[in-house]
């Protein structure tokens, strides 16, 4: 069994990005600049955005964190987005999700300039991704592809079962895994909450990508020997630690790893890759 080490791999990618930034700066240009908009005080979102801003520092990017009140109106947020679109000092930006329920998320995401949409959430970029055209691929699916690529995991002709159909992970990774490209060429089944007999499907899977957010959903009896496991779950489960919680994936790691050929740990698998790929998109936005 080989651990798909996202922590180590993301460190390598960040080193490569830092090298490119040094080249950019030595050519007399300013470094890439990522901005992140966060609305409200959601603890998990603040943690994720904090990690993104710290990662910018590590690779030499400029970064701006824009914290807005939970009570901001949709039109005020749209104005902020317009401002960021027009700010030539910012190469790319993200609007951290989820947004408060009084704001129409799609309306906000559609207002982001596709050329600055380093999250790859705009329909233009999502469409280009689906058509295999150069674009910003959303950080989490991009991170999964990159991890499989760097570990030379064979995907061609394999059966991939994706669990979860979210706009930002399940649906895009199901498209990417079937694309005609080095990581891709697999036959994809997209399972979700209405899927019947999910175990029948996972038992046929060569590759399982779980993005459900339900701890221990994928158990040993659901997988075949030699399976490749990508666990995208990040659920906070309360415990007695100093933090008061631990991060738990969708997969019963201890038992499933005994049957797997490759597996991502949680934490330290897909999570750190996501941040590295956001930086990679921001570098691309600058170039
Ligand atoms: N919330 C959870 N994941 C993401 C992400 O990748 N980007 C943004 N903007 N919000 C998120």
């Amino acid at each position: 069994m080989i651990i798909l080490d996202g922590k180590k791999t993301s460190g390598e990618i960040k080193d490569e990005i830092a090298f490119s930034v040094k080249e950019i700066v030595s050519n007399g240009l300013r470094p890439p600049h990522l901005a992140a908009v966060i609305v409200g005080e959601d603890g998990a979102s603040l943690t994720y955005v904090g990690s993104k801003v710290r990662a910018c520092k590590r690779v030499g990017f400029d970064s701006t964190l824009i914290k807005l009140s939970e009570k901001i109106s949709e039109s005020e947020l749209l104005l902020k987005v317009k401002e960021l679109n027009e700010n030539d000092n910012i190469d790319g930006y993200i609007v951290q999700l989820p947004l408060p329920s009084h704001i129409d998320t799609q309306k906000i995401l559609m207002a982001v300039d596709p050329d600055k949409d380093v999250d790859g959430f705009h329909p233009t970029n999502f469409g280009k991704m689906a058509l295999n055209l150069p674009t910003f691929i959303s950080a989490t699916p991009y991170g999964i592809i990159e991890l499989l690529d760097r570990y030379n995991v064979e995907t061609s002709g394999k059966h991939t079962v994706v669990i979860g159909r979210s706009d930002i992970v399940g649906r895009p990774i199901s498209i990417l895994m079937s694309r005609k490209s080095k990581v891709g060429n697999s036959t994809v089944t997209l399972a979700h909450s209405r899927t019947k007999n999910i175990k029948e499907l996972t038992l046929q899977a060569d590759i399982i990508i779980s993005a459900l957010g339900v701890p221990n959903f994928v158990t040993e009896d659901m997988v075949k020997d030699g399976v490749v496991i990508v666990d995208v779950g990040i659920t906070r489960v309360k415990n007695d630690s100093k933090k008061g919680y631990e991060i738990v994936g969708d997969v019963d790691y201890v038992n499933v790893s005994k049957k797997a050929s490759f597996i991502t740990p949680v934490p330290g698998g897909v999570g750190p890759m996501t941040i590295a790929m956001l930086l990679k998109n921001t570098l691309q936005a600058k170039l």
Side-chain angles (χ1 to χ4, degrees):
M1 186 270 291
I2 294 172
I3 292 174
L4 296 168
D5 187 339
K7 193 155 186 257
K8 174 168 152 274
T9 308
S10 67
E12 289 162 5
I13 294 168
K14 285 182 201 163
D15 289 344
E16 292 161 18
I17 294 171
F19 183 81
S20 300
V21 173
K22 283 205 178 98
E23 278 191 331
I24 289 171
V25 173
S26 70
N27 285 330
L29 299 170
R30 67 158 175 78
H33 187 170
L34 174 72
V37 178
I38 180 157
V39 180
E41 298 285 335
D42 177 65
S45 290
L46 284 166
T47 307
Y48 299 145
V49 171
S51 308
K52 291 171 186 179
V53 170
R54 269 197 307 282
C56 283
K57 293 211 171 70
R58 146 126 197 237
V59 299
F61 284 8
D62 290 336
S63 62
T64 300
L65 179 57
I66 301 162
K67 279 174 134 181
L68 302 171
S69 156
E70 171 92 30
K71 295 197 174 70
I72 192 172
S73 70
E74 190 179 274
S75 52
E76 284 172 311
L77 185 55
L78 281 169
L79 272 179
K80 196 78 211 161
V81 165
K82 188 164 178 282
E83 226 177 274
L84 289 164
N85 286 344
E86 289 167 359
N87 185 341
D88 290 338
N89 284 317
I90 287 171
D91 302 296
Y93 68 97
I94 64 163
V95 180
Q96 187 67 24
L97 304 181
L99 291 170
S101 56
H102 67 276
I103 292 174
D104 180 345
T105 301
Q106 279 310 322
K107 206 163 163 184
I108 301 299
L109 296 180
M110 297 222 345
V112 175
D113 178 348
D115 290 335
K116 292 191 173 188
D117 170 38
V118 286
D119 253 334
F121 290 169
H122 191 283
T124 295
N125 289 326
F126 196 98
K128 285 184 177 175
M129 179 274 296
L131 294 168
N132 216 358
L133 298 170
T135 187
F136 300 119
I137 297 174
S138 300
T140 305
Y142 193 8
I144 295 169
I145 295 290
E146 192 72 16
L147 200 52
L148 295 174
D149 189 17
R150 290 190 184 225
Y151 277 86
N152 286 311
V153 176
E154 183 60 74
T155 60
S156 181
K158 304 293 183 188
H159 181 196
T160 299
V161 172
V162 176
I163 307 173
R165 57 178 156 185
S166 70
D167 292 344
I168 63 177
V169 187
R171 176 116 16 227
I173 195 65
S174 71
I175 295 169
L176 292 167
M177 290 301 287
S178 70
R179 288 197 312 184
K180 215 179 236 184
S181 65
K182 185 188 165 214
V183 177
N185 287 317
S186 76
T187 305
V188 178
T189 301
L190 178 53
H192 48 75
S193 53
R194 299 292 174 91
T195 300
K196 291 187 177 130
N197 302 326
I198 200 155
K199 185 173 167 184
E200 263 175 39
L201 297 170
T202 55
L203 277 170
Q204 293 171 38
D206 303 304
I207 302 167
I208 296 175
I209 302 175
S210 186
L212 204 59
V214 178
N216 289 320
F217 182 83
V218 179
T219 48
E220 188 185 0
D221 57 310
M222 290 171 70
V223 308
K224 67 179 184 184
D225 280 325
V227 69
V228 176
I229 298 282
V230 178
D231 187 349
V232 193
I234 37 165
T235 306
R236 286 184 174 201
V237 174
K238 283 191 182 141
N239 69 5
D240 296 332
S241 71
K242 215 169 116 194
K243 264 195 201 163
Y245 66 87
E246 62 178 328
I247 300 290
V248 180
D250 287 353
V251 178
D252 173 6
Y253 183 89
V254 171
N255 294 307
V256 171
S257 61
K258 290 178 198 152
K259 290 172 101 177
S261 55
F262 294 89
I263 187 165
T264 60
V266 177
V270 176
M273 290 300 292
T274 297
I275 295 184
M277 303 326 280
L278 175 66
L279 299 174
K280 209 167 159 123
N281 278 343
T282 307
L283 177 65
Q284 189 188 315
K286 164 81 186 172
L287 296 176

